[in-house]
Amino acid sequence: GTGSNILSALQDLFWLLKSKVEKQLQIISVLQWVLTFLIMGIACTLILMYILCTDCWAIAALYLVWLVFDWNTPKKGGRRSQWVRNWAIWRYFRDYFPIRLVKTHNLLTTRNYIFGYHPHGIMGLGAFCNFSTEATGVSQKFPGIRPYLATLAGNFRMPILRDYLMSGGICPVNRDSIDYILSKNGSGNAIIIVVGGAAESLNCTPGKNSVTLKNRKGFVKLALQHGADLVPVYSFGENEVYKQVIFEEGSWGRWVQKKFQKHIGFAPCIFHGRGLFFSNTWGLLPYSKPITTVVGEPITIPKIDNPSQKDVDFYHSIYVDSLIKLFDKYKSKFGLPETEVLEVN
């Protein structure tokens, strides 16, 4: 009896230690991604400049020469790595929140797609985990479909960071890149565009479900020009993982944010999550709130080389209605009351 009790106690201790180690690995995996998002581009640029001034300058010079020849690779579908997409660190990243991908309909491999991802949140954590890694099984849920998450083109001007992003299947959100993927890369491609962009990130806050979409019609025009089907995607919980200071319209803070957004492409936000060691302190780590990304039903789009504004408006209205229906259908399943309404701005 005593031996059995000791063995049971050791097993309990083992599982306790294992769970603590897994939690720490989850925190580390999320922290490295947050630091990548915030400082990796600038840090790698400064390090490269420093190496040029040392005895190892030849290494940096060779990289810069290669960079010149490789400059247009991001515009041609990038250079994804299944090895990187399957890193174990992404599974710890997924489990920290946790993040989940929900499939509602099959996607034909004979078609190309533009996924409209909503909402942006502060960092688009759900978009990254679901479509730039294999942590939630996107390739198993949508066999034969190659996802490309589109992000700011400026990120691909940063040394090292550009290669890291491309390895996950991330591409610039510009016309050249999207045209190439949808017209010269065969079928079965899905470009994920966070439609609301920086403007939407300025209004994200816990408890609020709103999207910036009324005047965002460029993605619909691209879909028509390429005959790519539109797929609405809503990520429940994306706005819950960070708290943000919201500046009112007309305030100096909102003026500064809009100037950055207009001239640089991103809007600086004042936000916080939890601390690294204690969940009740402020820090850069997001709160561990569940994020559930629901991929809706594809909208069949005809190919029109020169779509009129009437064509764009018509399919845009269909897309908005589909997104609202998707939100209403799944909101109660993922913690929202039936009375919750999706605000479309």
Side-chain angles (χ1 to χ4, degrees), residues 197 288-289 328 335 337:
S288 53
K289 304 286 186 178
D328 289 339

Side-chain angles (χ1 to χ4, degrees), residues 58-306:
I59 296 174
L62 284 172
Y63 176 82
L64 291 174
V65 170
W66 177 80
L67 190 62
V68 171
F69 286 100
D70 194 58
W71 191 253
N72 289 323
T73 298
K75 299 178 183 178
K76 296 180 179 180
R79 188 170 44 248
R80 75 174 56 218
S81 166
Q82 286 303 118
W83 176 65
V84 173
R85 287 175 61 88
N86 282 284
W87 277 353
I89 195 172
W90 306 131
R91 294 193 290 275
Y92 290 112
F93 182 97
R94 172 199 65 198
D95 294 339
Y96 172 85
F97 297 92
I99 295 174
R100 180 185 171 203
L101 180 66
V102 176
K103 169 186 174 180
T104 63
H105 292 79
N106 291 325
L107 299 181
L108 299 174
T109 57
T110 55
R111 300 285 292 174
N112 284 324
Y113 301 91
I114 293 180
F115 287 19
Y117 184 91
H118 313 270
H120 183 286
I122 295 291
M123 296 184 184
L125 294 159
F128 170 79
C129 184
N130 285 308
F131 302 112
S132 294
T133 81
E134 293 296 331
T136 56
V138 63
S139 294
Q140 286 73 44
K141 288 183 170 71
F142 300 103
I145 301 298
R146 292 181 298 276
Y148 294 87
L149 177 61
T151 188
L152 289 175
N155 289 324
F156 297 89
R157 301 187 187 102
M158 302 284 191
I160 312 301
L161 175 64
R162 66 190 293 277
D163 303 290
Y164 190 38
L165 295 178
M166 284 194 290
S167 67
I170 301 177
C171 68
V173 61
N174 58 30
R175 183 62 184 262
D176 291 341
S177 178
I178 294 172
D179 283 346
Y180 183 90
I181 292 170
L182 295 180
S183 63
K184 299 177 182 178
N185 202 39
S187 60
N189 302 293
I191 298 180
I192 298 88
I193 299 176
V194 186
V195 178
E200 191 172 85
S201 68
L202 297 179
N203 296 313
C204 70
T205 188
K208 186 172 184 179
N209 289 283
S210 66
V211 296
T212 302
L213 184 57
K214 280 184 180 178
N215 297 316
R216 299 295 175 105
K217 301 180 180 181
F219 73 106
V220 178
K221 186 175 182 179
L222 282 169
L224 286 165
Q225 289 172 335
H226 293 283
D229 293 348
L230 289 171
V231 182
V233 179
Y234 197 84
S235 213
F236 295 90
E238 185 72 61
N239 285 346
E240 307 299 317
V241 296
Y242 278 111
K243 295 179 181 179
Q244 180 183 190
V245 177
I246 305 293
F247 293 101
E248 297 294 331
E249 290 292 338
S251 66
W252 67 269
R254 183 53 63 100
W255 179 84
V256 170
Q257 288 176 325
K258 287 188 173 181
K259 285 295 182 181
F260 267 85
Q261 178 190 337
K262 180 179 179 180
H263 297 292
I264 301 179
F266 76 93
C269 303
I270 299 177
F271 65 91
H272 74 84
R274 53 154 289 183
L276 179 60
F277 301 105
F278 302 101
S279 59
N280 59 348
T281 59
W282 287 13
L284 288 177
L285 277 178
Y287 294 105
S288 53
K289 304 286 186 178
I291 299 174
T292 305
T293 302
V294 183
V295 180
E297 182 178 3
I299 303 165
T300 303
I301 302 293
K303 190 177 187 303
I304 305 174
D305 291 332
N306 294 298

Side-chain angles (χ1 to χ4, degrees), residues 39-55:
I39 66 171
M40 183 176 178
I42 295 173
C44 288
T45 302
L46 293 175
I47 290 171
L48 196 67
M49 292 173 61
Y50 170 76
I51 293 174
L52 281 171
C53 300
T54 68
D55 294 338

